[in-house]
Coordinates of all heavy atoms in Angstrom, one line a residue:
Y120 N 111.4 109.2 101.9 CA 112.2 109.5 100.6 C 111.3 109.5 99.4 O 111.4 110.4 98.5 CB 113.1 108.2 100.4 CG 113.9 108.1 99.1 CD1 114.7 109.1 98.5 CD2 113.6 107.0 98.2 CE1 115.2 108.9 97.3 CE2 114.3 106.8 97.0 CZ 115.1 107.8 96.6 OH 115.7 107.7 95.4
I121 N 110.4 108.7 99.4 CA 109.3 108.7 98.3 C 108.5 110.0 98.2 O 108.2 110.5 97.1 CB 108.4 107.4 98.2 CG1 107.9 107.2 96.8 CG2 107.3 107.6 99.2 CD1 108.9 106.5 95.9
L122 N 108.2 110.4 99.4 CA 107.4 111.8 99.5 C 108.2 112.9 99.0 O 107.8 113.8 98.4 CB 106.9 112.0 100.8 CG 105.7 111.0 101.2 CD1 105.2 111.2 102.5 CD2 104.5 111.1 100.2
T123 N 109.6 113.0 99.4 CA 110.5 114.1 98.9 C 110.7 114.1 97.4 O 110.6 114.9 96.8 CB 111.8 114.0 99.7 OG1 111.6 114.1 101.1 CG2 112.8 115.1 99.3
T124 N 110.9 112.7 96.9 CA 110.9 112.6 95.4 C 109.7 113.1 94.8 O 109.8 113.8 93.8 CB 111.3 111.2 95.2 OG1 112.4 110.7 95.9 CG2 111.5 111.1 93.6
L125 N 108.5 112.8 95.3 CA 107.3 113.3 94.7 C 107.2 114.8 94.7 O 106.8 115.3 93.7 CB 106.1 112.6 95.4 CG 104.6 112.8 94.8 CD1 104.6 112.6 93.4 CD2 103.6 112.1 95.6
K126 N 107.5 115.4 95.9 CA 107.5 116.8 96.0 C 108.5 117.4 94.9 O 108.1 118.4 94.3 CB 107.9 117.2 97.3 CG 107.9 118.7 97.6 CD 108.4 119.1 98.9 CE 108.3 120.6 99.3 NZ 108.9 120.8 100.7
L127 N 109.6 116.9 94.7 CA 110.5 117.3 93.7 C 109.9 117.1 92.3 O 109.9 118.2 91.5 CB 111.9 116.5 93.8 CG 112.7 116.7 92.6 CD1 113.5 118.1 92.7 CD2 113.9 115.7 92.6
I128 N 109.3 116.1 91.9 CA 108.7 115.8 90.7 C 107.4 116.9 90.6 O 107.3 117.4 89.4 CB 108.2 114.3 90.6 CG1 109.5 113.4 90.5 CG2 107.3 114.1 89.4 CD1 109.2 112.1 90.6
S129 N 106.7 117.0 91.5 CA 105.5 117.9 91.4 C 106.0 119.3 91.2 O 105.1 120.1 90.7 CB 104.7 117.7 92.8 OG 104.3 116.5 93.1
G130 N 107.2 119.6 91.6 CA 107.6 121.0 91.3 C 107.7 121.5 89.9 O 107.9 122.7 89.7
I131 N 107.8 120.6 89.0 CA 107.9 121.1 87.6 C 106.5 121.4 86.9 O 106.5 121.8 85.9 CB 108.8 120.0 86.6 CG1 108.0 118.8 86.5 CG2 110.2 119.7 87.3 CD1 108.6 118.0 85.3
H132 N 105.5 121.0 87.7 CA 104.1 121.4 87.2 C 103.9 120.8 85.9 O 103.6 121.6 84.9 CB 103.9 122.8 87.4 CG 104.1 123.5 88.7 ND1 103.1 123.0 89.8 CD2 105.0 124.2 89.3 CE1 103.6 123.7 90.9 NE2 104.7 124.3 90.7
D133 N 103.9 119.6 85.8 CA 103.6 118.8 84.5 C 102.7 117.6 84.9 O 103.1 116.8 85.6 CB 104.8 118.4 83.8 CG 104.7 117.6 82.6 OD1 103.5 117.5 82.1 OD2 105.6 117.0 82.0
T134 N 101.5 117.6 84.3 CA 100.5 116.5 84.6 C 101.1 115.2 84.3 O 100.7 114.2 84.8 CB 99.1 116.8 84.1 OG1 98.8 118.2 84.3 CG2 98.1 115.8 84.7
H135 N 101.9 115.1 83.3 CA 102.6 113.9 82.9 C 103.7 113.4 84.0 O 104.0 112.2 83.9 CB 103.4 114.1 81.6 CG 102.4 113.9 80.4 ND1 102.7 114.6 79.2 CD2 101.3 113.3 80.2 CE1 101.8 114.5 78.4 NE2 100.9 113.6 78.9
A136 N 104.1 114.4 84.8 CA 105.1 114.0 85.8 C 104.5 113.7 87.1 O 103.7 114.4 87.7 CB 106.0 115.2 86.0
N137 N 104.8 112.4 87.5 CA 104.1 111.8 88.8 C 105.0 110.6 89.0 O 106.0 110.3 88.3 CB 102.7 111.5 88.5 CG 101.9 111.6 89.7 OD1 102.4 111.3 90.9 ND2 100.7 112.1 89.7
I138 N 104.7 109.9 90.1 CA 105.3 108.6 90.4 C 104.2 107.5 90.0 O 103.1 107.5 90.4 CB 105.6 108.5 91.9 CG1 106.8 109.4 92.3 CG2 106.2 107.0 92.3 CD1 107.2 109.3 93.7
W139 N 104.7 106.8 89.0 CA 103.9 105.8 88.4 C 104.3 104.4 88.8 O 105.0 104.3 89.7 CB 104.0 105.8 86.8 CG 103.7 107.2 86.3 CD1 104.7 108.1 86.0 CD2 102.5 107.9 86.3 NE1 104.0 109.3 85.6 CE2 102.7 109.2 85.7 CE3 101.1 107.5 86.4 CZ2 101.5 110.1 85.4 CZ3 100.1 108.3 86.2 CH2 100.4 109.6 85.6
S140 N 103.6 103.3 88.3 CA 103.9 101.9 88.5 C 103.3 101.5 89.8 O 103.7 100.5 90.3 CB 105.3 101.6 88.5 OG 105.8 101.9 87.2
G141 N 102.4 102.3 90.5 CA 101.8 101.8 91.6 C 102.8 101.6 92.8 O 102.8 100.5 93.3
N142 N 103.6 102.6 93.0 CA 104.6 102.6 94.0 C 104.1 102.1 95.4 O 103.1 102.6 95.9 CB 105.3 103.8 94.0 CG 106.5 103.8 95.1 OD1 106.4 104.0 96.3 ND2 107.7 103.6 94.5
I143 N 104.7 101.0 95.9 CA 104.2 100.5 97.2 C 104.1 101.3 98.4 O 103.2 101.5 99.0 CB 104.9 99.1 97.5 CG1 104.7 98.1 96.4 CG2 104.5 98.5 98.9 CD1 105.6 96.8 96.6

């Protein structure tokens, strides 16, 4: 789930867009 979400976020190609807060 977290990797699919990260792939979705990465798809907008914005260096500000990532998964933050040290996701466990």
Side-chain angles (χ1 to χ4, degrees):
Y120 171 59
I121 202 74
L122 291 177
T123 301
T124 305
L125 180 56
K126 183 179 177 183
L127 171 70
I128 293 167
S129 300
I131 72 169
H132 300 292
D133 179 8
T134 310
H135 281 146
N137 211 318
I138 290 180
W139 306 102
S140 298
N142 184 276
I143 294 174

